[in-house]
Amino acid sequence: MTTAGPAFDDPQRTNPDLPAIPPRARPRLRPRDRRIVQALALTALLPALLVLKWVDETNSVEKNLKPPEKVTDVPHGATGSLMGAQWKVVARQATAPLSFGTKPKDDTVTQLQVVLAVRPGDAAAAKAIGSYGVVYTFTDGDGRSWSATGLAAGTPRAGAVARLTVRGTVPRTMAAALALRVQAPKASRKPGTPLPSLRFAP
């Protein structure tokens, strides 16, 4: 009977006669080679970081820049369309500005008051008329403007005429020549389209 040699022995059993195989050491980069690899990686990463920063700053600038505006001039006595409603000036007058306490009266300014008749076409337009973000300003022909506030009498309803009063303090000598500009809220502007506004002639 032939006895099996070492080659046919149990593979699970370790042979103490064989030398142990040391683990393969990972090749190490020399300091100079490591610096070269790091420089190459940084060179490849830097353009990507610059592009990300540029895109982020571009988005920030676009958000903060004044959006393009489409101004529709409304002649005296005519009606303009804005935010799904019809707007018309029905009254205009200049009054003495409110005085507070003992502060001396300023004779160089006056309070300009313009009353608008507004007819919203639907419920969304009725809600938009009195919403936050509608901008009212009085403007002259040289591009100067004075801020104003608008207040609706009651709650605007679809299909019904509502009265909205706009007031602002302006130079007394210019009050009769100032146009009223009504600008839709910036949030209502659709991407790629200008922000609509109406400019009512004095």
Side-chain angles (χ1 to χ4, degrees), residues 113-201:
Q113 177 176 294
V114 176
V115 180
L116 294 162
V118 188
R119 185 194 299 270
D122 53 24
K127 185 177 180 181
I129 290 171
S131 67
Y132 174 79
V134 181
V135 178
Y136 303 95
T137 52
F138 292 112
T139 63
D140 66 4
D142 296 326
R144 292 173 294 186
S145 63
W146 292 263
S147 61
T149 58
L151 182 63
T155 302
R157 298 192 315 268
V161 176
R163 290 174 67 89
L164 191 146
T165 303
V166 180
R167 294 185 180 91
T169 302
V170 300
R172 180 180 294 277
T173 57
M174 301 176 65
L178 296 179
L180 168 63
R181 189 181 68 178
V182 182
Q183 185 184 70
K186 291 182 180 180
S188 67
R189 183 172 72 98
K190 297 179 181 178
T193 62
L195 187 63
S197 67
L198 296 177
R199 181 167 52 209
F200 294 92

Side-chain angles (χ1 to χ4, degrees), residues 57-82:
E57 289 182 353
T58 301
N59 291 337
S60 178
V61 168
E62 288 179 353
K63 288 179 182 178
N64 293 326
L65 278 178
K66 184 178 179 181
E69 187 178 0
K70 180 183 178 182
V71 181
T72 301
D73 287 309
V74 182
H76 184 73
T79 301
S81 180
L82 181 68

